Amino acid sequence: MIVNRPPMGWNSWNTFGENINEDMIKEMADAMVEGGYLDAGYEYLVIDDCWAELHRDEKGNLVPSKEKFPNGMKALADYVHSKGLKFGMYSCVGFLTCAGYPGSYDHEFQDAATFAEWGVDFLKYDFCYRAITVKQKMLYRRMGLALEGCGRDILFSACSWGRDETEKWIQSTGAAMWRKTGDINDRWGTFHYLADKVMDNITSCSRGCFGDLDMLTVGMNGKGNVGQGGMTFNEYKMHFTLWAQMNSPLMIGCDIREADEETRKILLNKDVIAINQDPLTAMPYNIEHYGGWNNEGVKIYVKHLSGGDLAIGIYNFSEEEAPCIVTLDLIGLPPSTGKTLRVKELWTGTEKTVANGVLRTPVGAHDCKIYRCKVIDI
Ligand code: GLA
């Protein structure tokens, strides 16, 4: 299945872990529509691990937990589809999933057929309990092939945590997105660690196979399965902006039934989402800090947008406000071009024209700025 934009949706793991059930999932589907999330682009509702019975049936089929999902997955998929959403599920390359439920190892074609029969549109495929005798890429190819032939369009979301140089082989598996890192937790330390891992190694995060930086923790505020103290509003804003600019899939992980205004302000920022969903799907790149003015903790990224626009993101991971300088020469606009930028900061709406070839702005500690920029005559 060819995917032209980073997939967007909601996933049960970050907040609910194994505490999932049919009623909660239906309420989440309602909230995705009534809260304006579907309209903003979040279309996949994904049930992560822990949905199955511990054992397959006598024919070897996966069985949904009778207690958590008493009406089975087909009925739930029908409900999700009736809301205009797409329905996602989870399995694993190994004989068990990460949480110890049956995995799809040696059942790939059978399980793909089951998912198709249930009306599944998205499959997250994890990396635990894998057979060490089979190369990891073969395990993803098996399921990729099974999904392609199952008679239904199912988006294949690989979750191999960037292991075994995933970026080198993932496009041979049919996956539309691939997890670049280990798991996120809802705290600054983990966010910073994951960001560091991906920021200087921007690989395969474009059309057809997007690099997945893991589900968003925005709005968790320390609550739920991976809640570990939470982050501030500016830190969540930075997390969302970076994921958006890096072309990561945007999968919400908080309980949107209870989202507060600050959370909604971040998750539903249409201008920032537009940077993520831009039709050009260009790879972002990073630029040097000019003349030592920016301290070590500041990272600057640029992404080309359709129609000749640019997105410039400035991320301050340090503990102090930093005076940041973006030199237009470094993005292809030396003064000799006779061009400069008209920029709009997408969290404040502030606009200005860049003078003298340098965009100067202070950026607070653990904060960011993201500009949508138009090239104009000086
Ligand atoms: C792994 C994945 C997580 C989540 C859990 C479920 O850790 O990386 O995203 O799916 O498994 O057990």
Side-chain angles (χ1 to χ4, degrees):
M1 180 181 174
I2 297 289
V3 173
N4 289 321
R5 310 282 165 85
M8 294 173 67
W10 178 89
N11 175 300
S12 60
W13 182 253
N14 277 4
T15 294
F16 297 95
E18 63 179 358
N19 299 316
I20 48 176
N21 63 66
E22 181 179 306
D23 288 342
M24 180 276 282
I25 294 293
K26 283 180 161 177
E27 284 174 24
M28 213 56 71
D30 297 347
M32 284 178 80
V33 177
E34 286 155 21
Y37 296 91
L38 175 60
D39 281 348
Y42 299 96
E43 59 176 345
Y44 289 97
L45 186 160
V46 182
I47 300 180
D48 207 281
D49 205 348
C50 311
W51 58 264
E53 286 287 332
L54 284 177
H55 301 286
R56 291 172 178 268
D57 70 11
E58 65 286 354
K59 292 189 181 134
N61 292 312
L62 289 167
V63 183
S65 158
K66 295 190 177 64
E67 201 189 319
K68 296 175 185 171
F69 298 99
N71 295 300
M73 288 302 172
K74 175 91 180 73
L76 188 52
D78 287 348
Y79 184 84
V80 170
H81 289 147
S82 76
K83 295 272 155 180
L85 295 159
K86 293 181 176 159
F87 184 57
M89 289 193 69
Y90 164 102
S91 190
C92 186
V93 297
F95 62 94
L96 294 177
T97 70
C98 295
Y101 294 82
S104 289
Y105 182 61
D106 270 353
H107 289 84
E108 290 84 358
F109 283 81
Q110 182 176 13
D111 291 353
T114 302
F115 292 132
E117 194 185 305
W118 288 345
V120 169
D121 306 298
F122 177 114
L123 182 71
K124 173 173 170 180
Y125 206 46
D126 218 333
F127 202 49
C128 288
Y129 298 103
R130 53 199 179 271
I132 49 169
T133 48
V134 186
K135 283 218 163 98
Q136 324 311 351
K137 58 185 164 195
M138 310 307 177
L139 295 170
Y140 280 95
R141 281 180 193 153
R142 285 186 191 186
M143 186 49 101
L145 207 51
L147 290 175
E148 276 154 24
C150 76
R152 189 175 170 87
D153 262 350
I154 300 183
L155 190 156
F156 188 25
S157 165
C159 183
S160 61
W161 318 315
R163 294 275 184 83
D164 299 314
E165 302 184 303
T166 309
E167 71 278 4
K168 293 198 175 149
W169 47 263
I170 193 61
Q171 298 202 33
S172 70
T173 68
M177 56 192 262
W178 61 285
R179 262 278 289 284
K180 290 185 146 183
T181 62
D183 288 13
I184 198 164
N185 287 308
D186 183 26
R187 65 189 178 95
W188 170 260
T190 314
F191 161 65
H192 191 178
Y193 173 76
L194 294 184
D196 261 359
K197 272 186 100 97
V198 295
M199 282 193 309
D200 293 330
N201 180 25
I202 305 175
T203 44
S204 304
C205 57
S206 189
R207 187 179 307 218
C209 198
F210 293 96
D212 177 9
L213 307 187
D214 206 355
M215 283 88 72
L216 297 159
T217 60
V218 176
M220 290 183 66
N221 298 319
K223 284 189 271 178
N225 186 38
V226 306
Q228 288 191 6
M231 301 207 286
T232 65
F233 173 74
N234 282 343
E235 290 168 348
Y236 281 138
K237 192 179 87 180
M238 190 171 171
H239 166 32
F240 187 74
T241 309
L242 185 65
W243 264 224
Q245 197 185 8
M246 291 283 163
N247 294 346
S248 174
L250 299 176
M251 304 300 289
I252 298 174
C254 72
D255 184 349
I256 52 170
R257 295 171 306 178
E258 297 175 358
D260 56 25
E261 270 318 299
E262 290 202 330
T263 300
R264 292 177 52 78
K265 198 172 161 197
I266 296 175
L267 294 175
L268 297 174
N269 184 319
K270 292 207 161 64
D271 290 336
V272 176
I273 292 173
I275 301 295
N276 180 258
Q277 297 286 301
D278 186 80
L280 197 61
T281 56
M283 295 259 291
Y285 63 93
N286 63 324
I287 54 170
E288 306 285 321
H289 309 148
Y290 182 69
W293 281 75
N294 295 322
N295 69 34
E296 286 278 293
V298 175
K299 301 274 185 188
I300 302 173
Y301 290 88
V302 182
K303 179 184 165 185
H304 286 203
L305 303 173
S306 50
D309 286 4
L310 292 166
I312 300 178
I314 309 174
Y315 304 87
N316 184 358
F317 288 89
S318 81
E319 303 304 318
E320 286 166 24
E321 181 176 289
C324 300
I325 295 182
V326 180
T327 315
L328 300 200
D329 193 9
L330 298 179
I331 59 175
L333 291 174
S336 58
T337 56
K339 305 285 182 189
T340 188
L341 294 179
R342 178 81 187 157
V343 304
K344 179 181 176 192
E345 206 286 314
L346 301 180
W347 290 107
T348 56
T350 313
E351 294 192 38
K352 63 181 175 188
T353 298
V354 176
N356 294 337
V358 284
L359 170 61
R360 290 168 190 269
T361 182
V363 179
H366 295 203
D367 200 358
C368 73
K369 290 199 173 160
I370 178 93
Y371 295 94
R372 188 175 186 108
C373 314
K374 263 202 183 319
V375 179
I376 59 167
D377 294 333
I378 290 175

